[in-house]
Amino acid sequence: TVNVVLPESAKTLIGMNADGGNGTYRTLYLLHGLSDDHSIWERRTSVERYAADYGVDPTGEKDSAPGIQAALDAARDLKGGTVYLPEGKYAIRTPITVHPAVTLRGEWLSPEKKENDLTKGTALLIYVGKNDPDGQAAFSMKPCSGLKCLTFVYPEQSLDAPVPYSPAVRQNGCDSMTLEDKVVIERK
């Protein structure tokens, strides 16, 4: 048998109100499964509401790690999904765990297209692990987890006087995770 996931009608989309017409938008839910059990693929999770709903700060002024972690936890509670961070600068001052079947995805801009501002797109400003090379990673990855379309920036790092950091990403007890379109920048 084949299971087909069809779009559902929705009265609004993130950042948009229904404005006439037939009064609905077609919404396709993005899914991420963990097993061969097809029912996991049929479970729906709303993707783009997480970042705004959990108090992340796209200016980089305050620690966004607690809000990102809360969104990742909510996706885990739904048995998987994708947490979306729109373009912005997000300070990461405390470690984050990416759960099984959960992906953290940002807005990718290739470094060549960033017009001398390497923090365009979704930039994670890493403060975790400074002067602690054996410490906890900024992101701990569980089985079947992923990071996509993110730029890691170390704003306190200097090429003139480099300091050690713990790893940006550490794979924990698993042999499968996804890292896609990720750039690490050692200084501003």
Side-chain angles (χ1 to χ4, degrees), residues 153-165:
V153 179
Y154 288 81
E156 296 180 336
Q157 186 61 282
S158 167
L159 292 177
D160 297 328
V163 296
Y165 276 81

Side-chain angles (χ1 to χ4, degrees), residues 8-81:
E8 290 188 0
S9 296
K11 296 293 181 189
T12 62
L13 290 177
I14 302 344
M16 300 171 58
N17 291 323
D19 61 353
N22 64 3
T24 61
Y25 292 99
R26 302 301 280 175
T27 303
L28 178 62
Y29 291 92
L30 300 179
L31 306 171
H32 186 125
L34 179 61
S35 79
D36 294 332
D37 175 5
H38 73 276
S39 68
I40 288 174
W41 293 98
E42 293 173 347
R43 296 179 190 139
R44 298 176 306 227
T45 179
S46 182
V47 176
E48 296 183 4
R49 75 174 66 157
Y50 289 128
D53 291 348
Y54 291 93
V56 297
D57 173 25
T59 69
E61 295 298 318
K62 66 178 192 169
D63 188 8
S64 287
I68 293 169
Q69 187 65 65
L72 293 167
D73 293 348
R76 174 205 55 211
D77 294 346
L78 292 169
K79 307 299 183 213

Side-chain angles (χ1 to χ4, degrees), residues 93-116:
R93 297 185 183 278
T94 53
I96 293 174
T97 298
V98 184
H99 303 291
V102 175
T103 296
L104 178 62
R105 183 180 71 82
E107 188 66 36
W108 174 249
L109 289 176
S110 173
E112 298 86 33
K113 296 180 181 179
K114 293 187 179 193
E115 302 167 6
N116 297 322

